[in-house]
């Protein structure tokens, strides 16, 4: 379900045809920003190894060539370093240039626009969860539970984000809201374009919400399921990059 693009496809532009106030960024600049901000915010630590290029592409929902070019650009600027050999890979630099990291930040207008996008998803999330509690099949509930297990076993943010996206897409599908599900999936996809790498320990903690949601859906407890989803999405105001940046300032 991950929106994987072929290398030959035209790279998407972050903010193009999106909510008013979002800046138009090339796909490469968007990846640079998302990784740079994660480093600035301490979510990616000096010396930390990044997933391989393909995993970075899948985790950030971009093409492999976009991920490769973004990482190459960050390496040229000293934000990350590349090492060869069996223990090689791409690592966060021990001392990334502060002036480069300062350039890799979201504008206030962009942060405000993403906050509005979170609000839009919050509205849809409560609606699809309500109807998923009524309409979800046993097979869909089993698949949702399987995804929570995979997220619990994830060892990096890339794999977790991919399973997380599949989980929420399936909740939407289970609602049986027909064309409204397409709108929900579009909103979900827009928001995923702004997710940044996060420590796996914190993502595992977030997965507790998924486990609680599946239990509420199995019990057909509409009120509890909606409340779990509401809290799960509402916290994005404080845990996505715009909330973290504002707190840092």
């Amino acid at each position: 379900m991950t929106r994987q693009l072929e290398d030959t496809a035209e790279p998407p532009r972050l903010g193009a045809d999106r909510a008013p106030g979002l800046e138009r960024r090339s796909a490469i600049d968007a990846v640079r920003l998302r990784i740079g901000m994660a480093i600035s915010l301490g979510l990616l630590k000096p010396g930390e190894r990044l997933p391989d290029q393909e995993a970075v592409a899948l985790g950030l929902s971009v093409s492999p060539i976009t991920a490769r070019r973004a990482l190459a650009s960050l390496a040229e600027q000293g934000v990350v370093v590349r090492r060869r050999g069996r223990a090689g890979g791409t690592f966060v630099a021990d001392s990334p240039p502060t002036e480069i990291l300062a350039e890799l930040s979201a504008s206030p207008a962009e942060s405000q626009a993403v906050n509005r996008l979170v609000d839009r998803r919050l509205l849809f999330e409560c609606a699809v969860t309500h109807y998923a509690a009524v309409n979800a099949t046993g097979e869909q509930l089993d698949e949702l539970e399987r995804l929570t297990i995979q997220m619990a076993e994830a060892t990096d943010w890339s794999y977790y984000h991919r399973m997380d996206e599949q989980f929420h897409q399936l909740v939407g599908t289970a609602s049986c809201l027909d064309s409204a599900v397409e709108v929900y999936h579009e909103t979900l996809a827009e928001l995923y374009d702004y997710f940044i790498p996060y420590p796996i320990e914190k993502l595992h903690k977030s997965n507790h919400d998924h486990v609680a949601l599946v239990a509420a859906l199995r019990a057909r407890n509409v009120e509890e399921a909606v409340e779990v989803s509401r809290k799960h999405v509402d916290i994005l105001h404080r845990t996505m990059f715009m909330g973290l940046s504002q707190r840092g300032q």
Side-chain angles (χ1 to χ4, degrees):
M1 293 185 181
T2 302
R3 289 162 289 109
Q4 180 67 26
L5 302 176
E6 298 294 336
D7 283 0
T8 56
E10 181 179 351
R13 298 182 65 86
L14 188 62
D17 301 321
R18 298 291 172 88
L22 292 183
E23 294 184 359
R24 296 176 62 88
R25 301 180 186 276
S26 71
I28 294 173
D29 283 342
V31 171
R32 283 168 37 81
L33 180 145
R34 294 160 76 180
I35 293 176
M37 288 195 69
I39 295 172
S40 295
L41 295 165
L43 303 177
L44 291 176
K45 307 292 185 181
E48 181 173 340
R49 188 182 190 280
L50 298 180
D52 60 40
Q53 283 183 176
E54 183 177 350
V56 169
L58 289 170
L60 297 182
S61 300
V62 298
S63 69
I65 194 169
T66 294
R68 181 166 66 249
R69 289 174 176 173
L71 291 173
S73 175
L74 291 172
E76 289 175 1
Q77 294 179 308
V79 176
V80 300
V81 294
R82 289 174 163 177
R83 299 172 187 160
R84 298 182 180 275
R86 181 176 298 180
T90 302
F91 299 80
V92 178
D94 291 335
S95 300
T98 55
E99 65 276 11
I100 299 298
L101 291 180
E103 296 173 1
L104 299 173
S105 60
S107 68
E110 189 170 17
S111 294
Q112 291 169 9
V114 177
N115 266 304
R116 291 194 296 271
L117 185 56
V118 172
D119 285 335
R120 193 199 312 169
R121 180 187 166 186
L122 181 60
L123 178 63
F124 282 125
E125 198 79 37
C126 291
V128 298
T129 298
H130 176 111
Y131 286 97
V134 175
N135 297 320
T137 66
E139 182 179 6
Q140 288 171 328
L141 292 170
D142 290 344
E143 177 64 10
L144 287 171
E145 184 172 353
R146 184 187 68 82
L147 289 168
T148 65
I149 294 172
Q150 289 187 299
M151 284 184 274
E153 295 175 347
T155 58
D156 63 60
W157 54 266
S158 172
Y159 185 78
Y160 183 96
H161 279 181
R162 285 142 56 195
M163 297 304 101
D164 180 75
E165 183 172 20
Q166 290 185 31
F167 180 92
H168 289 288
Q169 286 180 333
L170 182 54
V171 172
T173 300
S175 71
C176 298
L177 287 177
D178 300 327
S179 60
V181 176
E182 297 179 16
V183 180
Y184 166 71
H185 284 169
E186 290 171 1
T187 300
L188 189 66
E190 286 187 41
L191 197 53
Y192 269 86
D193 279 345
Y194 294 92
F195 280 1
I196 60 177
Y198 225 82
I200 191 62
E201 308 82 37
K202 294 186 180 296
L203 294 175
H204 284 160
K205 185 176 180 180
S206 177
N207 190 40
H208 295 167
D209 290 346
H210 298 139
V211 174
L213 177 57
V214 174
L217 293 176
R218 283 196 184 279
R220 305 297 179 185
N221 189 328
V222 173
E223 183 176 353
E224 182 177 348
V226 170
E227 181 61 10
V228 170
S229 287
R230 185 194 67 78
K231 290 181 178 179
H232 184 72
V233 176
D234 187 57
I235 199 172
L236 294 178
H237 286 299
R238 300 183 298 281
T239 59
M240 280 191 70
F241 66 79
M242 64 274 186
L244 293 167
S245 298
Q246 291 163 2
R247 186 165 54 193
Q249 292 172 356

